[in-house]
Amino acid sequence: MKKNKRAAARDAAEARERGMSRIPGNPSGRFWLYLVPGLLMLLWIIVIPAVWNIYLSFTNYRGVKPPVWAGLSNWARLFRDATFWTSFGNSIWMIVAMVVIPILVGLVLSSLIFDVVQKKFGAKAASTMRAVYYFPQLLPIAVASLVMGWIFRPENGALNALLEAVGLGGLQHNWLGSPDTALIFLMLIMIWIQVGYPLVIFMSGLQRVDPELYEAASLDGANWWQRFLAITLPSIKPEIFVVALTCTIAALKVFGPVYMLTRGGPGTSTIVPSYYSYQQFFQSQQVGYGAAIATALTVVIVVVAVVFTNLQQKVEAEDGE
């Protein structure tokens, strides 16, 4: 029996050395065939449309007649367009609402649930709380936006009805239809939708932390905040980078809630680059200019991804020294 096991192990090692699969007659060189469908889909859905979009950004095109080469005119117009820069300014606020605040809240909540709730009330209570916070992520963005629209609409909205019921009718407002509050309440909605994502990722990262570290710190007299700074934060650095990158990309290309709730208005108070590009494509029929906006947004996202990746590698290298 032992000889058979040794022979099988020796055969497997020889197969690996020859670049062969353990399955007889299946050379590893053939496995690239399994990648072909995915590569074709990537080419058809991502690469070709991206190249076509870049080309259109240098043309005048209204979607009917063939594109006419326009050189850098769309890009020159882009840099002079106040609405375009306003849209990117609003994207900064979206990053605050979808990245900064959810990460901070998610760090605190995940640590409290993992280090306090789970110890005092058990794993079921911790799982229930995690599921409650994550629930908005499970809703289709159209459904979540409709629900929030019903709450904040000026006529018969839940918030205004509540204010009326408690005698604060004078505070009733068109929350999403007024320039002074539309962006703020759009940000609040995005925080509600987004906060569950980092919470779940951080709690997943905390599962690999040895509970004895928390117990030892507690025995040494460390309070929750000290355990959070000394144990929780250093342990989930990789998760923080992943969440920061993915949420930043999502914030830069956010479209659904803006389309469903405000349509970029009132005025340009909630417009973002993706919705502005959509307006140029389908409403103004300035396809070339819309392509320039979309291309500029893509460049920004790629730069952000490269910066985050390099920063993560640098921090990991410093931690490894």
Side-chain angles (χ1 to χ4, degrees):
M1 186 69 176
K2 292 182 178 178
K3 290 182 178 179
N4 290 338
K5 289 183 178 179
R6 285 197 294 269
R10 184 175 63 254
D11 292 342
E14 290 176 356
R16 284 194 296 272
E17 289 177 1
R18 295 194 306 267
M20 304 287 286
S21 167
R22 293 186 183 186
I23 303 174
N26 249 349
S28 60
R30 296 180 185 173
F31 281 102
W32 68 269
L33 293 173
Y34 293 97
L35 300 176
V36 171
L39 292 173
L40 290 176
M41 294 297 291
L42 177 67
L43 185 68
W44 182 254
I45 297 174
I46 303 296
V47 177
I48 293 177
V51 173
W52 179 246
N53 187 81
I54 294 172
Y55 165 72
L56 289 179
S57 70
F58 295 97
T59 67
N60 288 327
Y61 182 44
R62 301 185 67 86
V64 181
K65 295 181 180 180
V68 177
W69 184 258
L72 296 175
S73 61
N74 287 324
W75 291 93
R77 175 185 171 187
L78 191 71
F79 285 103
R80 298 192 305 268
D81 190 347
T83 303
F84 172 75
W85 294 110
T86 299
S87 71
F88 262 103
N90 290 337
S91 287
I92 302 300
W93 290 111
M94 287 294 103
I95 290 173
V96 172
M98 296 178 64
V99 184
V100 179
I101 295 177
I103 285 179
L104 294 177
V105 174
L107 283 170
V108 174
L109 287 176
S110 61
S111 182
L112 284 172
I113 293 173
F114 183 81
D115 191 24
V116 179
V117 174
Q118 188 165 276
K119 289 181 180 178
K120 292 187 177 181
F121 303 101
K124 287 186 177 180
S127 297
T128 301
M129 291 187 66
R130 179 175 57 188
V132 169
Y133 282 112
Y134 191 71
F135 178 73
Q137 284 279 310
L138 301 178
L139 292 174
I141 195 65
V143 174
S145 300
L146 283 174
V147 171
M148 290 295 105
W150 291 336
I151 292 174
F152 295 121
R153 65 185 178 186
E155 299 88 9
N156 303 321
L159 180 57
N160 282 342
L162 178 63
L163 291 174
E164 180 70 26
V166 298
L168 297 174
L171 297 178
Q172 290 181 335
H173 193 67
N174 187 1
W175 306 104
L176 290 171
S178 177
D180 58 339
T181 57
L183 182 59
I184 295 172
F185 277 82
L186 183 61
M187 290 173 63
L188 291 175
I189 292 169
M190 297 313 302
I191 292 170
W192 171 72
I193 293 173
Q194 197 72 11
V195 73
Y197 171 67
L199 170 68
V200 169
I201 298 298
F202 295 155
M203 287 198 68
S204 176
L206 287 171
Q207 299 299 320
R208 69 170 185 270
V209 181
D210 189 350
E212 293 182 0
L213 292 174
Y214 288 98
E215 294 175 6
S218 299
L219 291 174
D220 289 339
N223 57 30
W224 172 83
W225 179 247
Q226 291 170 327
R227 296 196 300 271
F228 174 76
L229 294 177
I231 301 174
T232 302
L233 278 181
S235 299
I236 59 174
K237 276 185 181 179
E239 284 78 10
I240 293 174
F241 275 107
V242 169
V243 169
L245 175 58
T246 54
C247 289
T248 300
I249 293 174
L252 287 171
K253 64 185 185 68
V254 65
F255 174 82
V258 176
Y259 177 81
M260 294 294 297
L261 292 169
T262 65
R263 302 294 174 95
T268 59
S269 59
T270 60
I271 198 166
V272 291
S274 58
Y275 186 77
Y276 189 37
S277 177
Y278 164 82
Q279 280 186 326
Q280 298 301 316
F281 268 108
F282 299 105
Q283 295 178 5
S284 301
Q285 293 185 336
Q286 298 288 333
V287 178
Y289 188 55
I293 298 170
T295 303
L297 179 60
T298 302
V299 170
V300 171
I301 291 174
V302 170
V303 170
V304 168
V306 170
V307 170
F308 267 97
T309 302
N310 290 338
L311 182 60
Q312 182 178 5
Q313 292 175 350
K314 182 179 179 181
V315 170
E316 289 176 351
E318 291 176 353
D319 290 342
E321 293 178 354

